Amino acid sequence: MSTEIARIELSAGSIETVMIDGQPHIVLKPAIEALGLSYSPQLRKLKTRSWGVVTETVTRGADGRIFEMAATTVRSFLMLMANVNENRVSETARPILVAFQNETADAIEAYWTRGGAVNPAATREQVADLRERLDGVERARLAQGRLSAMGVAKQFGLVNSSYVEAMARTELARMNGAEPDIDPADITITCDEFLTQRGVNGADLSSARVKLGKGVAALYRMRYGQDPQKIKRPINGVHRDVAVYTHRDIDLFETAWAEIGRHYDVQTAIGGAA
C-alpha cells in the first residue's frame, strides 16, 4: 500500500484516504471510531453488504512495526455512513455525519432527476474530466442512434453490407473517442468527391455531377440489383439526398468517367490528364 494521502473534499469537511492499487481507500477503524461507533459491528455490516468492499492491507508504523488493517473504497464508506443511525454517534460527530448523509442524498437525487451532480469543490482537473466524460456520453448516444438507423436500413435492403460495416466501425470508434480503423476499401465516396479528385470544379461540376451520378447509379443497379443508398449532403448550401458508395465500387466510377471525362478539360488530382 502506498503512503500517499489523498483528500476527498465534502461540504462538511474532508476525508483522508490512502492509495491502494491507484484507488483511494479509507482506513476503517480510525474513521469509524472517530464517529464514536464500535468498529467490529460496522466492519461486519460492511462485509455482508453487496455494495461493500473491504481490503485487508498492511502498513508500517513510526516504530517500524507492521500493522494489519482493513480499508474500504470511498464509495463503500459513504454507503456505510448513509446507513448509520445519527442518534448512535457521539454528539460531537453527529453534525458531521448528518452533513455527509445530506450531501450524499443530494448527489443521489441529482443523479436520478437531473442526470448528474457536481461537487462545488471540484478542481479544474476534475471538471475537465467530467466534460470529457460527458462528451463521451454524447458521442455514444449519437453513435447508438446512427447504428440503430443503419440496422433498420440494412434489414429493409436500403444499404449494402460493406457500407453498414464501414459506418459501424466509424461510429463505434467515435463512441470511444478514437479514430476509426476501417479497410480503405470501405471508405465512402460520392460523385462530388470523385469529381473533385479529378479536378472538376466551377460550372462544370453541376453537369458532371448529373452525368456521372446517372452512370454510376446504373452500373451499381446492374451489379447489386438495387439502388445505391442515399445520405444528406450539402449542395449549393442546401442539404440534399446524395447517393453514396464505398471504394469497393470505385471501378464503377472509373467506367462511368471514361464515358464522360473526355467532355471536360481537367487534370486529375492523382496526377495526369483526366
Side-chain angles (χ1 to χ4, degrees), residues 102-120 134 137 141:
N102 283 330
E103 186 166 7
T104 301
D106 288 343
I108 292 171
E109 180 187 29
Y111 176 90
W112 288 112
T113 62
R114 299 198 298 273
V118 178
N119 188 338
L134 286 173
V137 170
R141 183 181 291 116

Side-chain angles (χ1 to χ4, degrees), residues 60-72:
R60 186 182 298 276
D63 58 2
R65 291 190 299 171
I66 299 297
F67 295 91
E68 292 186 359
M69 59 186 182
T72 189

Side-chain angles (χ1 to χ4, degrees), residues 46-63:
L46 188 59
K47 287 182 174 180
T48 61
R49 299 299 189 265
S50 60
W51 41 261
V53 175
V54 178
T55 300
E56 300 294 335
T57 187
V58 296
T59 188
R60 186 182 298 276
D63 58 2

